[in-house]
């Protein structure tokens, strides 16, 4: 039999469902070896369907075993249905009927972590996007919305806690003495929002009074040993609920909201109605075990999943091509929440830096796609940085174009108009247009056009006329299946800075102002600013007002000036990054030409001014001190030369460290604190600057610094300081590296999330034989290939280990390919994500590109899951 290649599905082929399911009644009889699922689906023909058929086609999976099926309690004989390509086809049905289906599944053997599966001692589910079909036969598509009633039957001693969506309405004993619990969710929802959890769990209870005065019960469930780590998540939840009321006017709708932490989870978390399920790494936090970054992530993910209750659940997606409708919008909402909670500039810098590093790289590679893709083979591959992060940037641009109030009018109209519906990105934009009386038709090209637009800016100043002109050209490079691009509507926020760092006001559009949003909507345009008193330095794309690459030929002096004096905090960071990128590019070229590295850099002058200015937010100073990452420099490179980038970064850091040794020591010491740990913006900021200064100070080679870092490790009372010190010790390969890595493991071996940090740091450690070290980690008793977090730690660590991963002999790539092949069928979603570094092969220097390509070709010869097939075949196309 010839193997069939998986095929793509297309947005343009969308048709409404032929049947609707008004009510869904489910019964789960949970058991250690097999779980019996009985569904009663109240089906009827969809009056809107143009297809005249009485045949019903339900989605299923290879892991679902059909026991029996009945229509209105008439058991169907085998000739009245077929199972083909995992679909259950019932040849003839009435107009309206109840379909009863009995199926058997084996959650304990579910290694894909989609559908119902076991994670440690508990049962849990992950149904987005198409996991529900691995539980029972269903119309598993988001535009089929139904009222769910779920009964869970289980052994009370093993599963004292049995949860599903909505409210618990009944509880009792079955004839065999098992316990049953029935849950009812009054809101209709697609199957991807279904959830079930059962286990021996501990709970933290709390409550929240909504703006209309309703009391909502809040519960967070974990395994017993983790219940002491959910206070911060609970607090984040309450703050999120309040924020959504204040900023969007959105109130929570059920009487109960539950969150459950599970250890084995493919992604971050899931917004199931009333019953969010989280990867424990995105929920648990305690000062001793959790770094500041992880605290902020918990807060952001809790908010994100909570916000989905409106942007995702009450108003959901018509089809999976619209995924960014809920994800882009919800990421925008969680980013705004974090910005309001902490520092908005710091948050913006972090988000932009992530976007420019990872999303830009994705958009420049073979998997590049618009935020609303036109086709896909496997939807799980489209939970991407483009859908999420660029999707958020597109919503942010609408916010910039309409202003705070206009945006709120638009979101109010959107929620009101589409409550209870499954809609499209067009509906979202239409609500924004209608509420504001604006035309966003050109803007909508952002939804269908892939690739990162490039803006090229030139300027001139006329001293006589006191006019300043900016000429902006836009160009979006070709991407797969999109050779040519149309001009986009791009909001570019601009200010002008005078010679002594003063904001220069100007007249634009007949008004005097000192900042303006330019509407770039043509291939080339010139904007004229009048009454500009002196020759300005342009501060372009303030706040990163559009997700584009910007070229303007700044001189080093201009960058130094903006870095210290731009009234826009975001652009001070931007200028510092540009300056550091320029410096690194010079060093990279020197390395590649076999020339001597320069020993001087204007960055020292910039850093010196920065470190002396005590009026600045320490978190901003830390961000500016952070050199452009290995990954970001790779994204910018024509041909990625990992060794050259690494050497250049180390050298540049060394120059700054030696030149400013005294300053770094001072900043390190003056930002130390002996207050009790708090995940507050203020403390986080100080710790980030202290630890940034520490790593420079150690990089200077000072013995005093080496002693200080070891002291910090030993004295730390929180994970942020302990791990920052350990990372320094390991990175600079201090004499204590082995000893402290071992001590760290011994201290924390009972804390899974900390062990993951240890795995990552150990895998990333530069070493004569880094790959052997990674292989040893995968044999270590604390490792478990079934756990995605552990796998991500080790493989992620390897990815940062330049010498081991990018070894010229190709051994690092071959090892990664081995893991992909191993996981291909076991856990296709994870296997597919592991492919990412290899998809960049065409960007690498030729010697490495060849090796990567060879590994992709080797993977392609396997019998592949849809997930891996799509990524590998597109990478080789
Ligand atoms: N909707 C979830 C979130 O963004 C992501 C779930 C994706 N899961 C998956 N297996 N593709 O919060
Ligand atoms: Zn989401």
């Amino acid at each position: 039999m010839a193997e069939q290649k998986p095929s793509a599905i297309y947005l343009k082929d969308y048709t409404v469902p032929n049947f609707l399911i008004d009510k869904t009644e489910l019964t789960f009889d949970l058991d250690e070896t097999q779980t019996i699922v009985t569904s009663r689906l109240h089906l009827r023909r969809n009056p809107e369907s143009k297809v005249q058929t009485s045949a019903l086609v339900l989605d299923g999976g290879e892991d679902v075993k059909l026991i029996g099926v009945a229509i209105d309690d008439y058991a169907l004989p085998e000739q009245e249905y077929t199972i083909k390509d995992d679909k259950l086809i019932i040849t003839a049905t009435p107009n309206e009927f109840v379909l009863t289906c009995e199926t058997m599944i084996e959650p304990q053997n579910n290694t894909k972590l989609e559908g119902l599966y076991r994670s440690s001692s508990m049962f849990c589910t992950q149904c987005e996007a198409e996991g529900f079909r691995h539980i029972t036969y269903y119309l598993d598509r988001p535009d089929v919305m139904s009222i769910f009633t779920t009964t869970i039957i289980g052994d009370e001693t093993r599963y004292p806690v049995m949860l599903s969506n909505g409210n618990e309405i009944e509880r009792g004993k079955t004839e065999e003495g098992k316990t049953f619990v029935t849950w009812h969710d009054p809101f209709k929802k697609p199957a991807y929002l279904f959830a079930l959890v059962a286990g021996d769990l501990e709970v933290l209870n709390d409550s929240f009074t909504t703006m209309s005065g309703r009391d909502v019960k809040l519960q967070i469930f974990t395994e017993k040993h983790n219940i002491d780590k959910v206070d911060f998540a609970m607090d984040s939840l309450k703050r999120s609920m309040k924020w959504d009321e204040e900023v969007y006017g959105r109130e929570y709708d059920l009487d109960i909201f539950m969150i459950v932490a599970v250890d084995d989870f493919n992604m971050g978390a899931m917004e199931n109605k009333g019953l969010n399920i989280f990867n424990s790494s995105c929920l648990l936090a305690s000062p001793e075990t959790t770094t500041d970054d992880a605290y902020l992530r918990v807060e952001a993910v809790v908010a994100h999943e909570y916000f989905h209750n409106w942007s995702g659940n009450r108003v959901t997606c018509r089809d999976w091509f619209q995924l960014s409708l809920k994800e882009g919008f919800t990421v925008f909402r969680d980013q705004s929440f974090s910005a309001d909670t902490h520092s908005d500039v710091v948050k913006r810098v972090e988000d932009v830096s992530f976007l420019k590093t990872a999303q830009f790289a994705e958009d420049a590679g073979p998997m590049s796609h618009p935020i609303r893709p036109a086709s896909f083979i496997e939807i799980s591959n489209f939970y991407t940085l483009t859908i999420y992060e660029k999707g958020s940037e597109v919503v942010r641009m609408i916010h910039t174009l309409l202003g705070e109030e206009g945006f709120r009018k638009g979101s109010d109209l959107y929620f009101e108009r589409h409550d209870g519906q499954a809609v499209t990105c067009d509906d979202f934009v239409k609500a924004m247009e209608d509420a504001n009386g604006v035309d966003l038709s050109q803007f909508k090209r952002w939804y269908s056009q892939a690739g990162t637009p490039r803006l090229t800016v030139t300027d001139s100043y006329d001293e006589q006329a006191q006019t300043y002109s900016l000429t902006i050209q836009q160009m979006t490079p070709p991407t797969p299946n999109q050779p040519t691009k149309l001009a986009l509507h791009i909001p570019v926020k601009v200010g002008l800075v005078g010679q002594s760092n003063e904001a220069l006001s100007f007249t634009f559009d007949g008004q005097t102002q000192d900042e303006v949003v330019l509407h770039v909507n043509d291939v080339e345009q010139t904007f004229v600013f009048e009454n500009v008193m002196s020759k300005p330095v342009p501060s372009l794309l303030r706040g990163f007002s559009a997700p584009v690459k910007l070229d303007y030929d700044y001189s080093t002096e201009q960058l130094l000036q903006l870095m210290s004096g731009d009234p826009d905090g975001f652009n001070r960071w931007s200028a510092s990054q540009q300056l550091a990128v320029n410096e690194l590019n010079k060093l990279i070229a020197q390395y590649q030409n076999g020339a001597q590295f320069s020993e001087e850099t204007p960055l020292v002058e910039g850093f010196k001014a920065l470190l002396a200015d005590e009026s600045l937010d320490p978190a901003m100073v830390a961000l500016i001190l952070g050199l452009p990452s290995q990954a970001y420099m790779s994204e910018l490179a024509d041909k990625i030369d990992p060794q050259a980038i690494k050497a250049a970064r180390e050298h540049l850091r060394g120059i700054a460290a030696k030149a400013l040794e005294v300053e770094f020591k001072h900043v390190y010491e003056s930002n130390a604190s002996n207050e009790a740990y708090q995940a507050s913006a203020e403390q986080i900021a100080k710790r980030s600057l202290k630890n940034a200064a520490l790593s420079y100070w150690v990089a200077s080679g000072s013995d005093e610094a080496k002693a200080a870092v070891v002291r910090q490790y030993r004295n730390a009372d929180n994970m942020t300081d302990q791990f920052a010190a350990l990372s320094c010790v390991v990175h600079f390969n201090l004499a204590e590296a082995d000893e402290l890595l071992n001590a760290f493991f011994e201290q924390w071996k009972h804390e899974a999330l900390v062990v993951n940090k240890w795995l990552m740091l150990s895998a990333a450690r530069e070493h004569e034989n880094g790959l052997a070290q990674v292989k040893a980690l995968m044999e270590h008793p604390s490792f478990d290939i079934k756990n995605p977090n552990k796998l991500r730690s080790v493989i992620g660590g390897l990815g940062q280990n330049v010498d081991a991963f990018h070894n010229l002999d190709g051994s690092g790539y071959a090892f990664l390919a081995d893991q992909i092949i191993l996981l291909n069928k076991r856990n296709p979603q994870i296997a597919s994500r592991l492919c990412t570094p290899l998809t960049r092969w065409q960007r690498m220097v030729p010697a490495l590109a060849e090796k990567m390509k060879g590994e992709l070709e080797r993977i392609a010869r396997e019998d592949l899951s849809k997930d891996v097939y799509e990524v590998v075949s597109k990478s080789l196309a």
Side-chain angles (χ1 to χ4, degrees):
M1 204 173 71
E3 241 181 77
Q4 228 189 311
K5 294 287 174 218
S7 55
I9 66 163
Y10 294 85
L11 168 59
K12 64 176 168 40
D13 294 339
Y14 174 83
T15 53
V16 301
N18 298 336
F19 289 85
L20 302 175
I21 310 177
D22 295 318
K23 282 199 285 179
T24 299
E25 294 157 354
L26 301 168
T27 303
F28 289 80
D29 195 342
L30 301 177
D31 194 86
E32 300 307 286
T33 57
Q34 55 174 42
T35 290
I36 305 294
V37 183
T38 310
S39 72
R40 285 175 57 82
L41 309 181
H42 296 246
L43 283 140
R44 68 184 156 92
R45 262 344 127 68
N46 182 2
E48 250 124 72
S49 166
K50 294 191 182 66
V51 184
Q52 283 305 314
T53 176
S54 66
L56 171 67
V57 182
L58 297 173
D59 305 299
E62 73 296 340
D63 41 7
V64 174
K65 232 209 217 123
L66 184 68
I67 300 173
V69 55
I71 287 188
D72 293 331
D73 294 328
Y74 159 75
L76 296 187
E78 279 185 19
Q79 61 274 21
E80 292 187 31
Y81 65 88
T82 51
I83 293 178
K84 194 171 171 266
D85 298 335
D86 298 330
K87 293 191 191 302
L88 171 59
I89 303 160
I90 299 171
T91 345
T93 61
N95 286 334
E96 198 171 335
F97 57 101
V98 176
L99 183 85
T100 310
C101 225
E102 206 182 8
T103 51
M104 193 275 280
I105 49 179
E106 296 178 350
Q108 73 282 4
N109 296 328
N110 180 345
T111 57
K112 299 182 177 163
L113 316 185
E114 289 175 83
L116 180 66
Y117 63 94
R118 292 291 293 259
S119 176
S120 9
S121 63
M122 52 207 278
F123 283 97
C124 65
T125 53
Q126 172 55 36
C127 292
E128 187 178 2
E130 297 178 334
F132 194 80
R133 62 187 62 186
H134 296 281
I135 293 175
T136 186
Y137 290 100
Y138 203 76
L139 294 175
D140 189 8
R141 42 186 290 171
D143 55 354
V144 172
M145 300 173 78
S146 185
I147 302 284
F148 281 69
T149 307
T150 305
T151 298
I152 312 169
I153 303 170
D155 172 0
E156 170 105 50
T157 56
R158 278 201 170 95
Y159 312 111
V161 173
M162 297 196 283
L163 312 172
S164 191
N165 317 86
N167 304 307
E168 182 182 317
I169 54 169
E170 212 188 329
R171 173 183 283 270
K173 290 273 179 207
T174 64
E175 281 160 22
E176 302 105 73
K178 288 188 178 177
T179 299
F180 78 85
V181 184
T182 301
W183 292 82
H184 176 75
D185 179 359
F187 292 93
K188 60 179 183 142
K189 65 167 177 287
Y192 84 86
L193 291 173
F194 170 80
L196 179 155
V197 169
D200 186 2
L201 303 177
E202 199 63 64
V203 62
L204 174 70
N205 288 297
D206 208 324
S207 69
F208 178 81
T209 307
T210 69
M211 59 190 191
S212 72
R214 277 189 311 104
D215 269 332
V216 179
K217 179 170 170 175
L218 308 179
Q219 298 191 300
I220 300 184
F221 295 87
T222 67
E223 288 182 278
K224 293 216 156 62
H225 60 279
N226 282 328
I227 198 66
D228 57 338
K229 301 190 194 71
V230 294
D231 295 334
F232 182 72
M234 183 63 91
D235 184 58
S236 303
L237 172 62
K238 290 189 282 186
R239 287 185 282 110
S240 306
M241 294 177 87
K242 185 113 192 86
W243 187 89
D244 211 16
E245 292 183 344
E246 285 170 356
V247 180
Y248 281 85
R250 298 294 115 199
E251 186 176 0
Y252 186 62
D253 47 13
L254 285 162
D255 299 330
I256 177 168
F257 186 82
M258 299 173 281
I259 302 180
V260 182
V262 304
D263 283 336
D264 304 291
F265 205 73
N266 282 343
M267 310 272 288
M270 180 63 212
E271 70 265 23
N272 318 298
K273 183 77 187 188
L275 178 54
N276 288 185
I277 297 181
F278 274 57
N279 186 326
S280 49
S281 71
C282 297
L283 195 74
L284 306 179
S286 76
E288 300 73 34
T289 59
T290 309
T291 59
D292 290 337
D293 291 348
Y295 263 92
L296 295 177
R297 175 146 171 86
V298 167
E299 180 179 76
V301 179
V302 167
H304 179 96
E305 305 309 332
Y306 173 72
F307 295 155
H308 267 315
N309 191 56
W310 276 96
S311 49
N313 302 0
R314 288 289 285 261
V315 183
T316 192
C317 300
R318 186 192 72 174
D319 55 73
W320 291 121
F321 297 101
Q322 319 295 330
L323 182 58
S324 200
L325 171 74
K326 74 177 178 81
E327 296 304 347
F329 187 20
T330 305
V331 170
F332 175 68
R333 279 152 54 68
D334 82 57
Q335 289 176 344
S336 314
F337 166 73
S338 297
D340 287 355
T341 307
H342 303 279
S343 147
D344 55 349
V345 181
V346 169
K347 175 66 178 158
R348 189 66 188 137
V349 168
E350 289 164 348
D351 291 340
V352 169
S353 158
F354 180 52
L355 182 90
K356 289 174 76 168
T357 303
Q359 194 280 326
F360 281 15
E362 178 173 277
D363 226 349
M367 285 296 288
S368 168
H369 54 277
I371 64 165
R372 182 177 50 202
S375 75
F376 58 73
I377 293 177
E378 169 54 58
I379 182 57
S380 296
N381 285 331
F382 286 78
Y383 286 74
T384 58
L385 297 160
T386 298
I387 301 290
Y388 278 67
E389 315 304 323
K390 186 176 181 183
S392 165
E393 294 301 319
V394 171
V395 173
R396 184 182 297 273
M397 285 190 285
I398 297 179
H399 187 277
T400 301
L401 293 172
L402 301 179
E404 181 84 48
E405 246 176 73
F407 187 83
R408 171 66 192 270
K409 275 196 236 157
S411 74
D412 282 352
L413 180 60
Y414 169 71
F415 288 126
E416 181 196 303
R417 197 184 259 179
H418 298 297
D419 190 10
Q421 297 176 4
V423 303
T424 64
C425 298
D426 293 324
D427 294 316
F428 179 79
V429 178
K430 186 82 170 56
M432 290 289 162
E433 290 182 320
D434 290 355
N436 290 280
V438 295
D439 176 1
L440 295 172
S441 44
Q442 185 188 4
F443 181 82
K444 277 175 66 178
R445 290 174 183 167
W446 281 102
Y447 284 88
S448 51
Q449 225 167 253
T452 305
R454 186 176 277 275
L455 298 183
T456 308
V457 183
T458 51
D459 63 347
S460 64
Y461 179 65
D462 182 335
E463 207 173 327
Q464 290 285 294
Q466 296 199 330
T467 57
Y468 175 70
S469 345
L470 279 177
T471 297
I472 305 184
Q473 291 174 305
Q474 65 164 296
M475 191 281 293
T476 306
T479 51
N481 300 317
Q482 286 190 340
T484 56
K485 310 281 178 171
L486 301 169
L488 293 161
H489 179 179
I490 304 173
V492 178
K493 194 185 272 187
V494 173
L496 303 181
V497 181
Q499 296 312 317
S500 42
N501 281 342
E502 74 284 15
L504 276 185
S505 62
F506 49 80
T507 306
F508 191 88
D509 263 350
Q511 275 174 18
T512 304
Q513 41 200 334
D514 50 26
E515 184 172 271
V516 66
V517 175
L518 303 176
H519 292 259
V520 173
N521 50 22
D522 215 337
V523 179
E524 180 175 328
Q525 278 158 287
T526 297
F527 301 90
V528 181
F529 300 73
E530 292 173 320
N531 299 319
V532 180
M533 307 308 257
S534 62
K535 185 173 190 310
V537 180
S539 168
L540 301 166
L541 206 67
R542 281 184 167 173
F544 205 64
S545 60
V548 300
K549 294 191 177 190
L550 186 129
D551 290 325
Y552 171 84
D553 197 10
Y554 282 112
S555 68
T556 298
E557 291 64 40
Q558 286 176 318
L559 289 173
L560 281 170
Q561 190 196 333
L562 291 179
M563 184 174 160
S564 64
D566 194 321
D568 185 77
F570 177 86
N571 268 8
R572 280 207 289 278
W573 171 78
S574 238
S576 75
Q577 286 290 293
Q578 189 57 55
L579 185 59
V581 164
N582 296 348
E583 292 300 293
L584 286 172
N585 279 335
K586 274 186 229 157
L587 294 168
I588 289 169
Q590 289 167 351
Y591 181 91
Q592 290 171 329
N593 300 330
Q596 283 273 323
F597 273 144
S598 349
E599 294 298 335
E600 272 175 26
T601 170
L603 212 56
V604 168
E605 181 191 334
F607 280 0
K608 190 169 186 152
L610 188 74
L611 293 171
D613 186 347
E614 290 186 355
S615 71
L616 296 171
D617 175 358
M620 274 313 291
V621 178
L623 286 168
I624 293 176
L625 290 175
L627 293 180
S629 67
Q630 177 88 21
Y632 183 54
M633 292 311 294
S634 302
E635 201 291 307
L636 293 178
D638 275 336
K639 287 287 171 201
I640 303 169
D641 183 346
Q643 292 296 350
I645 296 173
K646 181 181 140 188
R649 291 185 74 250
E650 296 288 339
H651 183 74
L652 186 60
R653 176 163 51 190
I655 306 178
K658 285 193 202 87
L660 300 168
E661 184 185 330
V662 177
E663 286 82 353
F664 284 122
K665 172 178 191 265
H666 172 74
V667 169
Y668 173 66
E669 285 167 352
S670 60
N671 280 278
S673 138
N674 36 31
E675 289 170 57
Y677 179 93
Q678 264 190 312
S680 64
E682 203 188 323
Q683 278 200 9
I684 291 174
K686 282 189 118 188
R687 277 190 291 271
S688 67
L689 179 54
K690 176 184 71 179
N691 288 320
L694 176 62
S695 79
Y696 274 101
W697 189 27
V698 175
S700 74
S702 140
D703 286 331
E704 198 189 347
K706 290 179 189 167
V709 71
V710 173
R711 195 167 348 106
Q712 173 168 322
Y713 177 85
R714 298 200 199 279
N715 295 345
D717 65 352
N718 65 79
M719 184 50 71
T720 307
D721 286 338
Q722 189 183 14
F723 198 71
L726 182 63
S727 304
C728 241
V729 168
V730 170
H731 184 88
F732 294 102
N733 209 11
L734 305 191
E736 291 84 352
D738 283 311
E739 179 203 334
L740 296 189
L741 267 174
N742 288 336
F744 187 78
F745 177 77
E746 283 304 318
Q747 184 182 353
W748 295 115
K749 59 187 173 195
H750 55 285
E751 289 286 350
L753 296 174
V754 186
V755 169
N756 293 348
K757 297 183 71 59
W758 175 82
L759 286 169
M760 164 120 41
L761 187 61
S762 305
R765 184 178 180 190
E766 304 271 355
H767 203 263
E768 291 112 71
N769 199 343
L771 189 59
Q773 165 189 271
V774 168
K775 289 179 178 167
L777 287 170
M778 290 186 72
E779 300 296 320
H780 192 273
S782 70
F783 185 76
D784 174 6
I785 197 159
K786 294 193 292 304
N787 180 269
N789 291 352
K790 296 200 184 295
L791 198 64
R792 276 187 281 258
S793 293
V794 174
I795 303 290
L798 171 62
Q800 291 167 27
N801 192 328
V802 172
D803 294 348
F805 186 57
H806 297 288
N807 194 316
L808 276 170
D809 67 7
S811 55
Y813 306 153
F815 176 78
L816 177 62
D818 289 343
Q819 309 314 310
I820 293 166
I821 291 169
L822 184 67
L823 287 155
N824 166 44
K825 287 282 164 76
R826 255 175 175 282
N827 188 329
Q829 286 188 17
I830 298 293
S832 167
R833 282 180 193 261
L834 293 184
C835 296
T836 305
L838 301 177
T839 64
R840 311 269 152 84
W841 69 273
Q842 293 176 78
R843 301 281 309 279
M844 307 299 293
V845 289
L848 296 177
E850 275 311 302
K851 299 282 184 200
M852 279 195 177
K853 184 173 183 223
E855 295 305 328
L856 283 167
E857 287 165 343
R858 180 159 72 90
I859 298 169
R861 289 193 288 273
E862 298 285 318
D863 176 19
L864 294 180
S865 58
K866 266 168 57 172
D867 308 61
V868 177
Y869 172 81
E870 177 166 38
V871 174
V872 170
S873 62
K874 288 182 175 173
S875 299
L876 289 171

